Amino acid sequence: MERVTPPHPDAPDPEGAPPAVPAQLPERLPVLALRDLVFFPSMVLPLLVGRPRSVAALDRARKTDDLILLVAQRDAELPEPTPEDLYRVGTLARIVQRTSLPDGTDRVVFEGMARVRLLEIQSRSGAFEAHAEPFPHPPVTGDDAVPFAALVRRLERTAREYQHLHPDLPSAPEEAEAGAGDPARTLQRIVGHLLVPASDKQEILEAPTLPEAATATLELVERELEILRIEEKLDRQMTQQMDRERRTIYLQEQMRAIQKELGDDDSEWGDLEVLVADADLPPSVRERAERELRRLQKLSPAAPESGVIRSYLDWIVSLPWTARTDDNLDVAHARSVLEAAHYGLDEVKDRILDHIAVLSLVGELQGPVLCLVGPPGVGKTSLGRSIARALGRRFVRVSLGGVRDEAEIRGHRRTYVGSLPGRVVQGLRDAGSRNPVFLLDEVDKLARDGHGDPAAALLEVLDPEQNASFRDHYLELEVDLSEVLFLTTANTLAGIPGALRDRMEVIRIPGYLDTEKRAIAQRFLLPTQLRRHGLSTDPEHTAMTDQTVDRIIQDYTREAGVRELDRCLARVARKLAREVADGDGDAARPRLPDADALRELLGPPSHRRTEGADDDDRVGIATGLAWTQVGGETLEVEVAVVPGNGSIQLTGTLGDIMKESAIAAFTFARARSRMLGLRPQFHREVDIHIHIPEGATPKDGPSAGVTIAAALVSALTGLPTRPRVAMTGEITLRGRVLPVGGIREKAVAALRVGMEKVVIPAANAGELELLPAEVRDRLDFRLVDRMDQVIEEVFGPGITLPGSTRVGDGPRGPDPVDGGIQISQ
């Protein structure tokens, strides 16, 4: 139900007589803050009031004879203004009628009475109050009266035209009659009906004199009128095109015509036209760019397609179509750069220098792409940076790990929102030249799903016969990649498709030896960490002993690369930096720890040292070699034989291939039972348990076949295996030893853990020449092609196998603890 307050007795009469202003204003009057509205004297206007502070001001106005001050906010967006947010010139108004609406707001009719100045605004009891004084304009008399009247008449004529042209402004004949004969009221009526910002109206309200207010109003009306005339002109022009064009086209053309009238319609596209004209583009690319630019100039900047074309042109002009850097083809310079940045890796450096030499002679390199394969932390990515530095080229790295969308390589088509070129084109833009060194990192981590196969998209990129005309889906232009030196990195070749691997020349980077790690730590890692932690890098005062570095490598790291070693050195540097910060050390001469002090800085050793481990009890144990993505590893195969009914148990999280190898080794032992001095039916009387630690680590592959067979023979015969002997190879049912992969990584791992002899398949003999000299010198490699040779190497020379025993009626085979192989003296 609505509550209606009857009209105030002093409300204006129908004849429009001006309201009477009280002779004396109350000491304090309530203040109503207006948002985006300026209320002028002589205005009668209904307003909706809903803010609690405003409603409180209305309630307080009952005590002041319904008088209230209407003041505009400086910022219309403020929901709860403070006194500082209100202007100091407003309008004294009277509440003519107040009606409460069902939604909780009040509809209030206000009548403007006089202009006032607010001297002080305070917030009391949830409402604004202010002490105000009348602020009337001085009367216009004497010689100023006639010019002022003429100014008001001109303002009236201009206002009528403005009212006629403005589509949202209703006519008000009653108010026009009410203001007739009073120039001040006419001026206030016109200003009140202008649809202009509130700040412009406030300036007119605060004008010192009526002529100044009229002049400002006339300028404002004429400015708005000029805009309306232009709009009307545009309406007439566009009406002729409405028969064949939709409303969207009409609005775009109207915007374009407005910009033409303002004289800045070509400012935005003009800059782009200059960029296209100045860019060094091939003829076909320039033709495409100019065609897209002409399309863009026909569109409005507000059109969605204009942003797509603008982005497309930005990409075209930013690509290095012809820009290139000069190559430094001095092989001696390249060798010095590689030697200064990397220790060891002689084979890798030689292969890279060979490519640089060919490039210096031919001027172009049409060979296969180099693929650096090795465990993490061996310097594959940093090697790519060094190659770029040696050639004087710019370096770009793109990580492909987890990329599963073909569009990441070829780019997205422009029909999609937010489309971009592929990573290859983006890398060229970042490099700023057409011949950078482009490193595709983690190429073996590419994924594949319903969005396509990114590895297949790389075929064109990495093929020297095709990449001279590589087409990106976004650009739809041929991009020449023939001068780009592509490098790829991977931890393993297993994840690279065969067609992609065929386009690359594989350079394997094995794990570092302990001596190499020591040199890397002394030359690169330790000085870098000391410098990062604010300590001196003077070699005279910051040298760490080889014994200390070796202790860190052996007791706190177990890796193919040097990342964990770098982290250990960083921990040491942090401890030294803390000593300096506590005042216990000197940054210029940090006290580097010796081998005995490492436990205080790094804690207890993380890895058990292998010297003398399990040398006493080797029955049923054999040491194998395994290949992993992070380098080579050693593994112990344990076999236990207990009385039972012939079951075999395999534990250690073994894969199907390794389980099959274990079954093949057991079948080999059964087939050679007579030679091993075992009962022909021994497998029916015992249970065999084969376990490969560590149990939580998944293991698979055929290379553990000979190791399982050796451990099984040891457990069945009771003969211990020789310590410091590691082996690898696949076994067949007839006892043949087949070749396996990863010989390089396995040999490095064997040397790292202190092995002395390594048994490998004879078919892998060619790979021994590729091993580092230190590995060949410190390890005794034995080549075998049959399991009998493995048994001799593992159990020692000079063994005699009892091969005269007949199956079924011979003497009883020995118990496992008694041994079944006789060793000659």
Side-chain angles (χ1 to χ4, degrees):
M1 180 176 180
E2 297 184 355
R3 177 176 60 84
V4 179
T5 302
H8 193 275
D10 292 336
D13 58 78
E15 297 300 327
V21 180
Q24 176 123 16
L25 296 179
E27 179 65 22
R28 308 199 69 81
L29 290 172
V31 177
L32 179 63
L34 304 178
R35 288 197 289 188
D36 205 21
L37 175 66
V38 177
F39 204 101
F40 285 83
S42 304
M43 288 179 60
V44 178
L45 191 66
L47 300 178
L48 292 177
V49 180
R51 288 189 289 186
R53 192 183 296 272
S54 301
V55 174
L58 294 177
D59 296 335
R60 194 162 298 178
R62 299 176 182 175
K63 302 178 181 180
T64 58
D65 197 22
D66 287 338
L67 296 178
I68 194 169
L69 299 176
L70 304 181
V71 184
Q73 294 181 198
R74 299 180 186 274
D75 186 359
E77 300 297 330
L78 290 177
E80 294 295 334
T82 62
E84 291 74 20
D85 297 324
L86 304 180
Y87 288 102
R88 288 303 185 265
V89 176
T91 300
L92 175 66
R94 186 185 300 278
I95 300 176
V96 177
Q97 188 179 33
R98 179 179 178 183
T99 305
S100 297
L101 301 181
D103 60 356
T105 60
D106 290 346
R107 182 181 184 276
V108 185
V109 179
F110 295 99
E111 177 193 15
M113 302 178 65
R115 189 175 72 151
V116 293
R117 178 190 291 133
L118 282 68
L119 302 179
E120 182 183 8
I121 303 177
Q122 296 180 350
S123 178
R124 293 184 178 179
S125 301
F128 288 133
E129 289 185 353
H131 174 62
E133 64 179 6
F135 188 41
H137 291 103
V140 181
T141 58
D143 297 336
D144 297 331
V146 176
F148 174 67
L151 181 61
V152 173
R153 288 185 181 181
R154 179 183 173 185
L155 179 59
E156 284 185 284
R157 292 193 302 269
T158 308
R160 291 193 190 97
E161 184 178 0
Y162 171 84
Q163 186 177 14
H164 173 73
L165 293 177
H166 205 295
D168 298 328
L169 193 62
S171 59
E174 297 82 6
E175 292 185 23
E177 292 296 332
D182 188 345
R185 298 192 65 193
T186 301
L187 173 62
Q188 295 167 359
R189 173 183 58 81
I190 293 173
V191 178
H193 283 82
L194 289 178
L195 299 181
V196 295
S199 58
D200 293 339
K201 291 185 177 182
Q202 183 67 29
E203 292 179 3
I204 297 174
L205 179 64
E206 295 179 1
T209 62
L210 287 174
E212 292 181 36
T215 302
T217 304
L218 181 60
E219 292 176 356
L220 187 61
V221 174
E222 287 180 346
R223 186 187 69 187
E224 296 294 321
L225 183 59
E226 184 65 23
I227 296 176
L228 293 175
R229 288 170 180 166
I230 295 175
E231 291 180 350
E232 184 184 32
K233 177 182 177 182
L234 297 176
D235 288 337
R236 291 195 304 267
Q237 294 176 353
M238 295 301 106
T239 301
Q240 300 175 0
Q241 303 178 12
M242 285 294 293
D243 295 337
R244 296 184 178 181
E245 296 181 358
R246 296 179 301 176
R247 180 173 177 80
T248 303
I249 303 300
Y250 163 73
L251 294 175
Q252 293 176 350
E253 291 295 331
Q254 187 181 46
M255 183 68 70
R256 179 172 176 267
I258 291 174
Q259 292 178 339
K260 184 176 181 180
E261 291 292 338
L262 295 176
D264 61 350
D265 58 322
D266 293 331
S267 59
E268 184 173 358
W269 308 143
D271 296 340
L272 190 57
E273 187 174 3
V274 172
L275 290 176
V276 173
D278 294 343
D280 190 4
L281 305 176
S284 59
V285 178
R286 181 173 297 280
E287 180 183 356
R288 180 64 178 271
E290 292 176 349
R291 184 166 70 248
E292 294 293 333
L293 182 60
R294 288 193 295 270
R295 286 184 56 202
L296 182 63
Q297 291 173 343
K298 296 178 181 179
L299 296 174
S300 166
E305 192 176 359
S306 64
V308 176
I309 299 177
R310 176 61 188 262
S311 298
Y312 178 75
L313 291 175
D314 287 340
W315 274 103
I316 286 181
V317 299
S318 63
L319 287 178
W321 298 97
T322 58
R324 63 189 313 277
T325 57
D326 295 332
D327 289 336
N328 187 344
L329 303 179
D330 186 357
V331 177
H333 168 75
R335 181 185 295 108
S336 63
V337 171
L338 294 177
E339 291 292 343
H342 300 274
Y343 181 84
L345 305 178
D346 294 333
E347 180 188 355
V348 179
K349 295 175 183 177
D350 288 340
R351 300 279 288 275
I352 294 171
L353 292 176
D354 291 343
H355 283 76
I356 296 177
V358 173
L359 185 62
S360 65
L361 296 177
V362 181
E364 60 180 359
L365 191 61
Q366 293 292 336
V369 176
L370 298 181
C371 180
L372 308 178
V373 179
V378 296
K380 299 184 296 295
T381 303
S382 61
L383 193 60
R385 290 192 178 92
S386 299
I387 294 174
R389 190 164 59 253
L391 289 173
R393 294 189 177 190
R394 295 172 184 173
F395 178 75
V396 179
R397 173 186 171 272
V398 173
S399 178
L400 300 180
V403 172
R404 60 181 64 250
D405 190 351
E406 177 193 4
E408 293 286 341
I409 307 299
R410 291 186 178 273
H412 300 79
R413 300 192 182 275
R414 284 192 291 160
T415 54
Y416 297 101
V417 177
S419 58
L420 287 173
R423 297 197 180 190
V424 176
V425 174
Q426 293 182 33
L428 282 181
R429 195 271 305 270
D430 296 339
S433 69
R434 60 179 296 174
N435 63 334
V437 174
F438 205 115
L439 180 67
L440 299 174
D441 211 0
E442 308 293 349
V443 72
D444 58 326
K445 306 300 190 303
L446 287 170
R448 180 179 181 180
D449 62 4
H451 295 89
D453 186 2
L458 282 177
L459 296 179
E460 181 183 2
V461 175
L462 301 182
D463 192 339
E465 302 297 330
Q466 302 181 38
N467 60 14
S469 57
F470 172 73
R471 293 186 69 89
D472 186 271
H473 287 165
Y474 180 83
L475 295 178
E476 296 179 344
L477 294 169
E478 291 187 355
V479 181
D480 186 3
L481 303 178
S482 60
E483 296 188 42
V484 179
L485 178 58
F486 283 103
L487 302 174
T488 63
T489 68
N491 296 129
T492 173
L493 294 177
I496 305 177
L500 183 60
R501 187 167 61 247
D502 183 62
R503 285 164 168 78
M504 299 185 295
E505 180 177 352
V506 177
I507 299 179
R508 294 187 178 273
I509 304 178
Y512 291 113
L513 304 175
D514 287 354
T515 55
E516 294 175 329
K517 291 182 180 180
R518 182 198 313 141
I520 292 172
Q522 297 282 25
R523 291 177 53 180
F524 301 103
L525 303 183
L526 182 59
T528 300
Q529 292 297 343
L530 293 177
R531 183 172 57 255
R532 288 179 179 175
H533 292 81
L535 303 174
S536 173
T537 58
D538 185 2
E540 183 179 353
H541 305 297
T542 60
M544 183 179 287
T545 63
D546 292 344
Q547 182 183 6
T548 304
V549 177
D550 290 342
R551 183 70 62 83
I552 296 176
I553 294 172
Q554 296 169 4
D555 292 356
Y556 295 93
T557 67
R558 186 65 57 85
E559 58 178 346
V562 292
R563 286 180 178 167
E564 186 64 27
L565 176 59
D566 190 33
R567 284 191 283 267
C568 290
L569 294 176
R571 291 174 60 186
V572 172
R574 286 195 295 270
K575 297 293 185 181
L576 298 178
R578 182 173 178 180
E579 290 182 2
V580 174
D582 291 340
D584 297 334
D586 185 3
R589 295 190 176 189
R591 294 195 296 265
L592 293 179
D594 54 18
D596 297 331
L598 287 177
R599 182 180 291 268
E600 299 179 5
L601 299 179
L602 300 179
S606 305
H607 302 280
R608 181 174 61 89
R609 306 187 71 174
T610 60
E611 287 75 11
D614 296 332
D615 285 356
D616 297 332
D617 185 9
R618 299 287 301 179
V619 176
I621 298 178
T623 303
L625 297 173
W627 178 92
T628 69
Q629 293 187 6
V630 296
E633 292 288 345
T634 59
L635 54 85
E636 298 285 342
V637 176
E638 300 177 352
V639 178
V641 179
V642 297
N645 54 7
S647 66
I648 299 178
Q649 187 174 6
L650 305 175
T651 57
T653 317
L654 308 184
D656 292 337
I657 299 177
M658 187 169 284
K659 291 178 180 178
E660 294 174 357
S661 298
I663 299 300
F666 178 69
T667 303
F668 165 78
R670 288 182 56 190
R672 298 298 179 94
S673 60
R674 178 184 299 180
M675 298 180 60
L676 297 176
L678 303 175
R679 293 177 182 271
Q681 302 297 323
F682 76 92
H683 61 282
R684 298 178 182 271
E685 304 170 357
V686 295
D687 290 343
I688 297 176
H689 186 172
I690 301 175
H691 177 70
I692 302 180
E694 302 162 348
T697 303
K699 311 168 193 69
D700 203 359
S703 64
V706 297
T707 311
I708 297 175
L712 184 60
V713 169
S714 173
L716 291 172
T717 62
L719 186 66
T721 61
R722 298 177 66 183
R724 300 294 180 269
V725 177
M727 66 202 77
T728 182
E730 181 180 355
I731 187 176
T732 69
L733 296 179
R734 293 182 175 272
R736 293 186 296 123
V737 179
L738 303 183
V740 293
I743 295 297
R744 190 170 189 171
E745 290 79 4
K746 293 175 181 178
V748 172
L751 181 61
R752 184 188 308 127
V753 298
M755 294 290 121
E756 297 174 356
K757 180 189 292 186
V758 176
V759 180
I760 66 173
N764 292 113
E767 299 185 39
L768 295 181
E769 300 178 2
L770 303 178
L771 295 178
E774 182 180 355
V775 177
R776 296 196 305 267
D777 295 340
R778 295 177 57 184
L779 290 178
D780 181 13
F781 289 94
R782 299 300 176 94
L783 304 178
V784 297
D785 53 15
R786 299 194 61 82
M787 191 62 202
D788 296 338
Q789 297 171 296
V790 176
I791 292 176
E792 182 178 353
E793 298 293 345
V794 171
F795 296 101
I799 62 171
T800 301
L801 298 177
S804 60
T805 304
R806 292 182 298 174
V807 178
D809 58 355
R812 179 184 181 275
D815 293 330
V817 297
D818 296 334
I821 299 179
Q822 299 177 359
I823 302 177
S824 61
Q825 299 299 325

